[in-house]
């Protein structure tokens, strides 16, 4: 009671009191208005955060721009702080689209979206929801890479936590500075391997920010529950160390025991601050740290590494999709990988799990997978030895560095490129694949586009149009024999947002690889007969919200079966259970409406009807 009185006193002191009293007097006129006024009065007194006036315009969670109604403007003390026009959220979205399209350079588009997010969160996510495929390459790769490289210029306002190595011993205290208590998902990087751009140190912050904005845009996870973090342990990038714009600590990268103690302290601090079911996604750590940290934490924390497991999940989803086209089980294939790094070995490991689920024993499944790296085929006899993370794929064969020869002698039915070597799948290699099998599966996953092992067109041209093709970067539709094919893009976005949503909803305690298989199957199941007919191994990305929702449901189901969920009782209505966790982009109504401005006699044109002249006028 005392606290209510206290709040009331504070409310009464605020500048809106007169407007509020005026509304109270006006609302005496009829019963309905009295009821509405009482509702707003109760809200006003009990409102937990006591934001007033300008705070509603400064806080991106509360901001509605010109969509604040007259009532809200009066009661909240906004009258005069906004121009007189009132716009609906839909009108605002149309204006934002128009503004976004006016920028030519992707980086300027990125900056526009960042500013919008910092100003008005609901408007930002409503805009992105109108055309996810259009906004994805700006919010994430490739544009986010540019933003990271120029992060010294992009950085304006804190949108995540920087925990640096000098904070060692005090990491929990630093984490407590983050003002939000209800964090459910953390995305963390140490900036050592940012996309294909190498060590960007603290500039890597663009990655967790981007990934978490996709959590909301693609799966509807509530934005305030997401926390981007950079573990700044220094950088070995000499250019950045002397760059006046650099925002991180100017120190060589700390490695070894001190690094691992620091990461351990960070993991413990996350759990202490936000609970043991807080999802911690590792992103863009370099090998071998990526693999070591995953193995160290996967059983003890609710964590996954998107570069290893997320990639594996999406590529295996593509293999499941391809299996629907070739009508062969996964285990009826022989796989040859070019590239045995974190992506390649992660995919190979999950393929083994998929084949085991189909009934093969683990050794037999491993025997169906051959890996080739910069030192040649992974065999126990090669001089350079086997990389530790891929030892289990070493074969008892003569070493070779001739990849084309390996394609000829091993006769794989599926070729997977994760080597960063653009054009490595030469026409001769592709032609050999067409000889190896009726429907060769060709996945050229390396990014960006010019690093792809072969283009979609080359794959179709050299396999008589019989291949099933997918890539890491998007390719335009392929024309072959008067038919148009839409090849798949193995974009991690198909998988990680849906997994995260399921994991958060069921408060999962750890994330076994089998959850990635579950997600992969559910993505492949969402391909329609039409998708399969035009060569798509993934459903269109424009359906991503639905795909993520379906994945989340399957993840929750599986989590209860595996006994790793911690929300009880077990939900019976999965749709409602997941829906409860979904962020609503529609503006909140802060104050019930008592009356509105009289309607204007002017009817505006739609934003699409704005004349060319008008566009020209605003083009500078
Ligand atoms: P990584 O650096 O860990 O591994 C690269 C591998 O390629 C190493 O095994 C290396 O020995 C091998 N390699 C390099 N040059 C070679 C050559 N000339 N011949 C044969 N092998 C060679 O890199 P990571 O993280 O495994 O990524 C590899 C590629 O996969 C990148 O281009 C990345 O963009 C792409 N990728 C695609 C994803 C997707 O499509 N969803 C997701 C993750 C990665």
């Amino acid at each position: 009671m005392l606290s209510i009185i206290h709040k009331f006193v504070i409310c009464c002191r605020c500048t809106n009191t007169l407007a509020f009293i005026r509304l109270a007097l006006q609302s005496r006129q009829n019963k309905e208005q009295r009821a509405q006024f009482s509702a707003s009065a109760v809200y006003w007194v009990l409102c937990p955060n006591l934001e007033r006036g300008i705070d509603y315009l400064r806080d991106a969670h509360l901001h509605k721009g010109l969509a604040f109604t007259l009532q809200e403007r009066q009661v909240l003390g906004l009258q005069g702080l906004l121009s007189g026009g009132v716009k609906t959220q839909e009108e605002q979205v149309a204006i934002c689209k128009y503004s976004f399209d006016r920028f030519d350079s992707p980086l300027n588009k990125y900056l526009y979206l960042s500013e919008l997010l910092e100003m008005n969160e609901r408007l930002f996510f409503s805009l992105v929801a109108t055309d996810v495929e259009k906004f994805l390459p700006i919010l994430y790769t490739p544009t986010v890479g540019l933003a990271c490289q120029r992060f010294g210029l992009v950085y304006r306002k804190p949108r995540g936590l920087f925990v640096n190595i000098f904070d060692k011993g005090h990491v929990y205290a630093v984490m407590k500075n983050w003002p939000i208590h209800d964090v459910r998902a953390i995305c963390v990087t140490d900036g050592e391997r940012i996309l294909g751009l190498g060590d960007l140190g603290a500039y890597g912050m663009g990655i967790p920010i981007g990934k978490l904005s996709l959590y909301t845009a693609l799966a509807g996870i509530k934005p305030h529950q997401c926390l981007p973090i950079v573990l700044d342990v220094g950088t070995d990038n000499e250019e950045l160390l002397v760059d006046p714009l650099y925002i991180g600590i100017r120190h060589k990268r700390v490695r070894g025991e001190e690094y691992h103690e620091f990461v351990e302290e960070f993991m413990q601090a996350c759990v202490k601050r936000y609970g043991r079911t807080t999802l911690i996604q590792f992103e863009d750590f370099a090998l071998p740290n990526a693999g070591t940290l995953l193995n160290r934490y996967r059983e003890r924390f609710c964590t996954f590494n998107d570069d290893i497991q997320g990639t594996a999940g999406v590529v295996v989803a593509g293999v499941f999709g391809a299996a629907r086209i070739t009508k062969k089980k996964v285990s009826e294939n022989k796989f040859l990988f070019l590239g045995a790094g974190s992506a390649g070995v992660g995919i190979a490991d999950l393929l083994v799990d998929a084949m085991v689920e189909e009934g093969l024993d683990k050794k037999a499944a491993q025997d169906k997978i051959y890996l080739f790296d910069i030192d040649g085929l992974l065999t126990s006899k090669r001089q350079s030895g086997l990389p530790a993370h891929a030892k289990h794929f070493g074969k008892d064969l003569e070493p070779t560095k001739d990849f084309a020869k390996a394609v000829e002698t091993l006769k794989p039915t599926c070729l997977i490129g994760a080597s960063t070597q653009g054009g490595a799948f030469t026409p001769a290699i592709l032609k050999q694949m067409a000889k190896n099998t009726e429907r060769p599966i060709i996945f050229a996953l390396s990014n960006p586009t010019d690093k792809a092992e072969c283009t979609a067109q080359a794959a179709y041209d050299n396999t008589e149009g019989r291949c099933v093709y997918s890539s890491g970067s998007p390719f335009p539709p392929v024309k072959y024999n008067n038919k148009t094919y839409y090849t798949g893009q193995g974009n991690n976005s198909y998988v990680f947002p849906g997994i995260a949503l399921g994991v958060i909803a069921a408060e999962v305690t750890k994330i076994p690889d089998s959850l990635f298989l579950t997600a992969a199957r559910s993505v492949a199941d969402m391909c329609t007969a039409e998708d399969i007919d035009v060569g798509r191994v993934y459903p269109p990305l424009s359906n991503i919200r639905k795909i993520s929702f379906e994945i989340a449901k399957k993840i929750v189901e599986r989590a209860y079966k595996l006994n790793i969920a911690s929300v009880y009782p077990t939900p019976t209505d999965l749709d409602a259970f997941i829906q409860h966790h979904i962020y609503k982009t529609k503006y909140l109504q802060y104050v019930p409406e008592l009356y509105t401005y009289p309607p204007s006699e002017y009817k505006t044109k739609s934003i699409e009807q704005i004349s060319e002249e008008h566009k020209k006028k605003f083009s500078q």
Side-chain angles (χ1 to χ4, degrees), residues 129-430:
T130 59
D131 191 347
V132 169
E133 277 178 295
K134 169 174 165 166
F135 292 103
L136 201 56
I138 304 295
L139 289 176
Y140 208 67
T141 112
T143 312
V144 75
L146 289 176
C148 284
Q149 286 172 308
R150 292 157 183 73
F151 207 74
L153 290 171
V154 170
Y155 179 69
R156 282 169 205 180
K157 198 174 156 183
R159 289 215 2 235
L161 265 183
F162 293 88
V163 186
N164 74 56
I165 190 76
F166 303 126
D167 295 324
K168 193 161 166 271
H170 312 280
V171 173
Y172 177 66
V174 173
M175 291 204 50
K176 280 210 320 198
N177 289 339
W178 188 250
I180 295 168
H181 297 270
D182 183 25
V183 168
R184 309 288 293 275
I186 288 169
C187 182
V188 61
T189 186
D190 71 356
E192 191 171 4
R193 198 229 62 171
I194 295 300
L195 304 169
L197 305 167
D199 184 351
L200 295 187
Y203 276 2
M205 179 53 113
I207 295 296
I209 289 177
K211 270 270 147 103
L212 290 173
S213 69
L214 300 190
Y215 267 38
T216 307
L218 309 186
I221 294 168
K222 294 172 185 163
H224 77 275
Q225 294 182 336
C226 300
L227 170 54
I229 297 186
V230 160
L231 293 181
D232 185 355
V233 295
T235 175
D236 288 344
N237 184 328
E238 298 287 345
E239 262 179 51
L240 291 184
L241 285 170
V242 294
D243 181 350
L245 297 179
Y246 186 57
I247 58 167
I249 55 170
R250 287 174 203 277
H251 196 286
K252 281 272 183 192
R253 206 164 259 285
V254 170
R255 299 186 184 277
E257 210 173 313
E258 200 183 350
Y259 171 87
H260 286 288
E261 282 170 7
F262 177 58
V263 180
E264 175 72 33
E265 186 186 344
F266 161 72
M267 296 298 280
Q268 302 285 354
C270 290
V271 167
K272 187 169 171 194
R273 174 90 166 105
Y274 297 116
R276 68 185 287 256
T277 57
T278 315
L279 168 60
I280 306 170
Q281 172 175 340
F282 279 74
E283 192 69 41
D284 286 1
F285 284 70
L287 272 179
N289 283 340
T292 308
L293 296 173
L294 176 62
N295 291 332
R296 182 167 296 169
Y297 295 125
R298 66 196 307 165
E299 289 298 321
R300 291 164 49 210
F301 294 87
C302 174
T303 185
F304 73 96
N305 180 308
D306 190 51
D307 308 303
I308 301 175
Q309 295 161 292
T311 298
V314 79
V315 176
V316 173
V319 174
F320 286 144
R324 289 184 59 190
I325 298 177
T326 61
K327 305 209 169 18
K328 267 190 192 172
K329 289 206 288 192
V330 176
S331 52
E332 285 168 335
N333 286 285
K334 191 189 267 188
F335 298 87
L336 176 59
F337 283 69
L338 186 68
S342 55
V345 176
I347 299 163
D349 281 333
L350 200 63
L351 276 174
V352 169
D353 291 350
M355 290 192 257
V356 169
E357 279 197 1
E358 285 181 0
L360 249 54
D361 73 49
K362 192 166 177 180
K363 174 78 177 58
Q366 282 170 347
D367 285 349
K368 284 184 168 281
I369 297 178
Y370 296 80
L371 300 180
F372 207 98
D373 69 5
I374 194 149
D375 295 321
L377 189 65
L378 263 65
T379 78
S380 48
K381 295 181 184 163
R382 74 180 197 175
Q383 269 192 344
S384 55
L386 294 170
H389 65 289
K391 270 203 163 62
H392 46 296
F393 289 111
K395 300 283 180 292
D396 195 16
L397 291 173
E398 287 309 311
T400 174
K401 288 195 170 185
D402 187 341
F403 187 66
K405 192 89 194 138
V407 176
E408 197 184 323
T409 51
L410 297 172
K411 299 214 179 322
T413 57
C414 175
L415 213 50
I416 296 184
S419 64
T420 68
Q421 297 304 304
F425 295 168
T426 59
I429 288 174
L430 295 168

Side-chain angles (χ1 to χ4, degrees), residues 513-555:
D513 280 340
S514 60
L515 291 193
F516 287 88
L517 265 192
T518 304
R521 280 194 203 287
S522 112
V523 173
D525 287 347
M526 292 199 67
C527 279
T528 60
E530 294 80 57
D531 294 331
I532 300 287
D533 184 53
V534 293
R536 275 196 173 119
V537 294
Y538 298 101
L541 206 53
S542 51
N543 282 350
I544 187 68
R545 284 298 290 260
K546 194 161 171 250
I547 297 168
S548 300
F549 197 85
E550 288 306 311
I551 293 178
K553 275 164 54 182
K554 293 273 164 45
I555 293 294

Side-chain angles (χ1 to χ4, degrees), residues 98 605 607-616:
Y98 176 59
K605 296 175 190 167
I607 198 101
E608 288 77 22
Q609 287 170 317
I610 288 181
S611 68
E612 284 309 310
E613 251 171 72
H614 188 296
K615 282 185 187 160
K616 255 187 233 147

